[in-house]
């Protein structure tokens, strides 16, 4: 039995020694005098020496493969604590390796007791966790870097889920006026401006169902004080706690909106200035166009006044005769002799030529009515042209717009060109009619001014593949090839000083661009110019 016990003990010793030998951790067995009584192969490899040079030496005399003193030696010696308390200890140490690199070692100290339960040895197990520690450090640095990026981002960053705010960075607090904690208790609905609410919620709900990768648009929010803030939203859908969520970036573009609004006002003022400049150029012609019908209406009124005087005289004789008949009629019904009065009336009718007068009155009235209608149309067209443009588009018939414009500039054209119209059947398009009239005025006036003596101006309209196409051509002097590329540049003009602002065609270009349309010009010196405009129907 004793022999069997010895064999079992030897077998167990070989068994555990084999385990110890092949463990990846460095294993050191230390006695109460802090002498090393056993080590495994991993430890020997790490310290770079044989068992004979290690066994029997005190632990602090061995370098342990580091350039620093033993981590188990000194006032903070954990090894001493294990011997004194009998409790295991664990610690994490950073050391400078023999190659100068930083090494992290996870050390476990476990007591080894005898039959009387006294701690006779301590087993030190050391595991190199440098890579793990480096990975953890890199992760922490990455997290810190991203935390700083989010915290100091110039855009508000929020995470939305089920229309609720789950996270908000400091910029979101700044823009909204609410703290991050308050934001997490506020529904998204309460932040959106009432006029934009339906649009934003509809878009958010649709995109969250589709889980589209990105979406960008602008809207207004109301901050805590009720102030309106314009923001540009960009959102990306990500998983958040097992459900889709919107990672949303909000950029405060209120200042940009103010600049855009100011630019819009400046453009509107510039457009109105150009309109008034055109009105100034057309003023004499418009006055002449109004003068003609005003002249013959005035002449007709004088003639009608003379006719009324003659008719009034004749009417007095009729009334005088009727009064005489009523006063002097006999009781038996006999009428007095009125032959003298009848003769006087007959002579007066011949004198004033009553038949001609009555017929001419009708003609004068009809002619005057036509003249006043002409004046009314010119004034109305001029008023429509000069009136500031409306903010909202409306449906218009381009053919009628062209007729109205031709009416306004007619005096500029009629002495220079014969105007031909070839109008197609056009659908009504949603546009800014007054702005388009400005384009037509600029082109038609330029066409008339390019004709030296007598020529032609043709206006042609067609519906073409979703567009309304307008072609205005002339037989004028044409545009030199080197000027064609500059025709739409601001302040470019070939006219004499004082005869053009240089803004007409640039304004026309911007108006067509505002309509998402196209404007092009073709010209040949000596043969004329053709402007082609295309406005989308929708």
């Amino acid at each position: 039995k004793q022999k069997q016990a010895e064999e079992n003990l030897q077998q167990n010793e070989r068994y555990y020694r084999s385990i110890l030998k092949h463990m990846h951790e460095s294993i050191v067995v230390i006695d109460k005098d802090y002498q090393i009584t056993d080590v495994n192969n991993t430890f020997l490899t790490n310290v770079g020496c044989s068992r004979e040079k290690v066994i029997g030496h005190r632990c602090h005399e061995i370098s342990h493969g580091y350039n620093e003193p033993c981590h188990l030696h000194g006032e903070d010696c954990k090894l001493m604590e294990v011997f004194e308390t009998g409790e295991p200890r664990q610690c994490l140490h950073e050391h400078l390796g023999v190659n100068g690199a930083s090494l992290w070692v996870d050390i476990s100290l476990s007591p080894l007791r005898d039959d009387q339960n006294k701690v006779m040895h301590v087993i030190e197990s050391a595991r190199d966790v440098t890579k793990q520690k480096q990975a953890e450090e890199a992760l922490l640095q990455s997290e810190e870097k991203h935390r700083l990026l989010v915290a100091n981002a110039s855009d508000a960053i929020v995470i939305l889920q089920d229309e609720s705010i789950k996270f908000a960075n400091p910029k979101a607090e700044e823009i909204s006026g609410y703290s991050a904690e308050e934001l997490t208790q506020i529904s998204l609905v309460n932040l959106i401006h009432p006029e934009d609410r339906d649009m934003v919620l509809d878009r958010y709900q649709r995109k969250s169902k589709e889980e589209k990768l990105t979406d960008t648009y602008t809207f207004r929010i109301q901050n805590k004080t009720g102030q309106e803030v314009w923001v540009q939203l960009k959102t990306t859908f990500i998983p958040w706690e097992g459900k889709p969520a919107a990672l949303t970036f909000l950029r405060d573009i209120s200042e940009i909106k103010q600049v855009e609004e100011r630019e819009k006002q400046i453009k509107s003022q510039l457009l109105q200035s150009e309109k008034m400049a055109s009105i100034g150029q057309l003023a004499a012609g418009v006055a002449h166009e109004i003068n003609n019908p005003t002249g013959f209406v005035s002449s007709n009124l004088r003639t009608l006044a003379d006719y009324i005087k003659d008719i009034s005289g004749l009417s007095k004789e009729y009334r005088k005769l009727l009064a005489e008949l009523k006063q002097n009629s006999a009781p038996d019904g006999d009428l007095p002799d009125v032959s003298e009065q009848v003769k006087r009336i007959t002579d007066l009718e011949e004198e004033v030529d009553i038949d001609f007068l009555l017929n001419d009155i009708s003609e004068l009235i009809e002619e005057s009515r036509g003249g006043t209608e002409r004046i009314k149309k010119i004034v109305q067209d001029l008023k429509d042209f000069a009136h500031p443009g409306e903010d909202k588009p409306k449906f218009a018939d381009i053919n009628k717009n062209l007729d109205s414009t031709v009416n306004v500039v007619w005096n500029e054209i009629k002495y220079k060109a014969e105007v031909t119209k070839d109008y197609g059947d056009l659908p009504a398009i949603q546009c800014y009619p007054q702005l388009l009239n400005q384009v037509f005025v600029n082109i038609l006036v330029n066409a008339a001014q390019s004709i030296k003596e007598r020529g032609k101006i043709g206006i042609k309209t067609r519906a073409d593949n979703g567009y309304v196409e307008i072609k205005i051509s002339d037989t004028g002097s044409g545009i030199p090839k080197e000027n064609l590329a500059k025709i739409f540049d601001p302040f470019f003009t070939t006219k004499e000083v004082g005869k053009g602002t240089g803004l007409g065609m640039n304004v026309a270009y911007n108006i067509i661009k505002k309509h998402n349309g196209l404007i092009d010009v073709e010209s040949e010196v000596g043969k004329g110019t053709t402007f082609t405009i295309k406005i989308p129907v929708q």
Side-chain angles (χ1 to χ4, degrees):
K1 290 180 180 180
Q2 181 180 349
K3 187 64 175 176
Q4 287 176 348
E6 290 176 356
E7 289 178 356
N8 288 338
L9 183 61
Q10 291 174 0
Q11 186 176 356
N12 287 337
E13 186 178 353
R14 287 194 299 272
Y15 174 72
Y16 288 110
R17 186 165 293 281
S18 177
I19 293 175
L20 182 66
K21 179 181 178 181
H22 294 94
M23 287 181 71
H24 292 290
E25 291 87 354
S26 293
I27 303 296
V28 181
V29 181
I30 304 168
D31 64 15
K32 294 179 70 174
D33 295 327
Y34 304 111
Q35 289 185 343
I36 299 174
T37 61
D38 201 0
V39 295
N40 70 347
N41 289 349
T42 304
F43 176 83
L44 294 174
T45 301
N46 289 340
V47 298
C49 59
S50 63
R51 288 178 62 85
E52 289 73 17
K53 291 184 179 182
V54 172
I55 301 299
H57 289 274
R58 292 182 180 273
C59 58
H60 62 268
E61 295 174 349
I62 307 301
S63 70
H64 288 64
Y66 313 126
N67 280 339
E68 299 172 317
C70 174
H71 50 274
L72 300 176
H73 185 64
E75 294 180 359
D76 298 328
C77 180
K78 300 292 182 182
L79 187 61
M80 185 184 299
E81 291 182 14
V82 178
F83 278 113
E84 290 176 354
T85 64
E87 298 294 330
R89 292 287 186 265
Q90 187 162 2
C91 53
L92 186 67
H93 282 277
E94 182 181 15
H95 297 280
L96 191 66
V98 291
N99 59 357
S102 180
L103 298 175
W104 283 92
V105 181
D106 185 14
I107 301 171
S108 296
L109 298 172
S110 303
L112 188 62
R113 302 173 186 272
D114 61 9
D115 295 341
Q116 284 75 39
N117 203 30
K118 291 182 180 181
V119 178
M120 303 303 294
H121 293 83
V122 171
I123 300 175
E124 174 193 335
S125 172
R127 183 165 56 95
D128 187 350
V129 292
T130 303
K131 291 184 179 180
Q132 178 182 340
K133 191 65 179 176
Q134 289 173 344
E136 289 176 357
E137 189 65 28
L139 180 60
L140 288 173
Q141 290 178 359
S142 177
E143 287 179 352
E144 179 64 13
K145 179 178 69 177
H146 288 93
R147 187 192 67 78
L148 290 172
L149 286 173
V150 170
N152 296 284
S154 58
D155 290 346
I157 302 175
V158 297
I159 294 177
L160 300 171
Q161 191 176 67
D162 299 329
E163 299 180 15
S164 296
I165 298 172
K166 301 297 184 181
F167 169 83
N169 73 336
K171 190 65 176 182
E173 296 177 302
E174 179 186 328
I175 292 177
S176 67
Y178 294 95
S179 68
E181 184 179 355
E182 288 175 322
L183 284 171
T184 57
Q185 298 171 1
I186 295 174
S187 172
L188 173 66
V189 177
N190 296 331
L191 285 176
I192 304 171
H193 192 283
E195 294 178 8
D196 297 341
R197 193 165 291 164
D198 291 342
M199 180 273 292
V200 175
L201 290 179
D202 176 68
R203 193 154 183 164
Y204 170 78
Q205 289 167 355
R206 282 192 292 108
K207 298 303 177 185
S208 61
K209 289 178 182 177
E210 297 172 6
E211 294 188 24
K212 185 180 177 182
L213 291 180
T214 57
D215 193 20
T216 305
Y217 54 98
T218 61
F219 62 95
R220 292 165 293 173
I221 65 171
Q222 284 183 315
N223 63 18
K224 193 173 183 177
T225 62
Q227 184 181 0
E228 181 181 289
V229 181
W230 274 98
V231 295
Q232 182 185 60
L233 174 145
K234 183 174 182 180
T235 185
T236 300
F237 287 88
I238 61 171
W240 182 268
E241 296 179 351
K243 294 198 309 185
L247 175 60
T248 303
F249 299 85
L250 296 168
R251 177 167 296 178
D252 186 348
I253 58 170
S254 299
E255 291 185 4
I256 296 174
K257 279 290 182 180
Q258 290 173 0
V259 172
E260 288 178 351
E261 187 63 29
R262 182 60 183 155
E263 288 180 352
K264 184 179 178 182
Q265 291 175 358
I266 292 172
K267 286 181 179 179
S268 178
Q269 292 169 358
L270 180 64
L271 178 61
Q272 190 63 15
S273 298
E274 174 62 20
K275 278 187 179 182
M276 299 315 295
S278 299
I279 295 276
Q281 293 175 356
L282 300 173
V286 170
H288 182 72
E289 284 298 302
I290 293 176
N291 240 5
N292 284 342
T294 301
F296 65 72
V297 168
S298 177
S299 175
N300 288 351
L301 288 174
R302 288 194 295 270
T303 302
L304 285 171
D306 292 338
Y307 287 173
I308 291 297
K309 189 185 294 183
D310 291 337
I311 291 174
S312 180
L314 187 59
S315 177
K316 286 179 182 179
E317 290 297 328
Y318 283 133
R319 289 178 179 178
K320 187 176 180 181
L321 174 60
L322 289 173
E324 186 73 23
L325 290 173
K326 289 179 181 178
Q327 185 178 355
N328 299 319
S329 58
D332 57 1
D334 292 336
L335 296 174
D337 185 11
V338 292
S339 57
E340 188 174 340
Q341 284 101 326
V342 171
K343 185 177 182 305
R344 190 164 60 251
I345 290 171
T346 303
D347 292 342
L348 187 58
E349 284 184 344
E350 290 179 358
E351 182 182 341
V352 301
D353 195 356
I354 190 66
D355 292 333
F356 168 78
L357 188 146
L358 293 173
N359 183 63
D360 199 31
I361 285 174
S362 298
E363 291 182 2
L364 290 175
I365 290 173
E366 187 62 32
E367 191 177 64
S368 297
R369 185 183 290 115
T372 56
E373 286 296 321
R374 170 68 177 157
I375 294 170
K376 178 181 176 182
K377 181 166 178 56
I378 291 174
V379 171
Q380 184 60 49
D381 290 340
L382 196 61
K383 179 182 176 184
D384 289 343
F385 174 74
H387 195 278
E390 297 178 12
D391 290 335
K392 295 182 179 179
K394 61 182 181 180
F395 284 95
D397 182 342
I398 294 299
N399 290 338
K400 290 182 179 179
N401 274 48
L402 285 164
D403 283 338
S404 173
T405 305
V406 170
N407 190 41
V408 169
V409 301
W410 181 242
N411 195 71
E412 292 285 323
I413 297 175
K414 64 181 181 180
Y415 300 111
K416 286 289 194 78
E418 172 191 351
V419 177
T420 59
K421 300 177 182 178
D422 180 10
Y423 290 166
D425 186 14
L426 303 181
I429 64 170
Q430 200 171 20
C431 63
Y432 299 89
Q434 294 169 3
L435 298 185
L436 290 180
N437 285 354
Q438 173 75 41
V439 175
F440 302 149
V441 164
N442 291 346
I443 294 175
L444 287 168
V445 170
N446 286 345
Q449 292 174 349
S450 72
I451 296 172
K452 293 182 179 179
E453 295 180 358
R454 188 75 182 171
K456 293 181 179 181
I457 295 177
I459 305 174
K460 182 178 180 180
T461 62
R462 291 288 184 273
D464 179 33
N465 196 26
Y467 286 85
V468 165
E469 183 182 82
I470 306 107
K471 284 184 179 288
I472 301 176
S473 57
D474 63 67
T475 56
S477 57
I479 303 170
K481 188 175 181 180
E482 62 271 17
N483 290 340
L484 272 179
K486 299 181 284 185
I487 197 72
F488 297 115
D489 291 349
F491 305 109
F492 174 77
T493 180
T494 57
K495 298 176 184 177
E496 297 177 12
V497 176
K499 290 190 176 181
T501 63
L503 292 172
M505 296 317 300
N506 177 256
V507 166
Y509 175 84
N510 287 321
I511 290 172
I512 300 303
K513 185 178 179 182
K514 181 182 178 74
H515 286 80
N516 294 318
L518 304 168
I519 182 169
D520 192 23
V521 58
E522 296 177 358
S523 186
E524 188 175 344
V525 175
K527 292 188 178 182
T529 303
T530 299
F531 281 89
T532 302
I533 299 168
K534 288 187 174 184
I535 308 293
V537 174
Q538 296 181 348

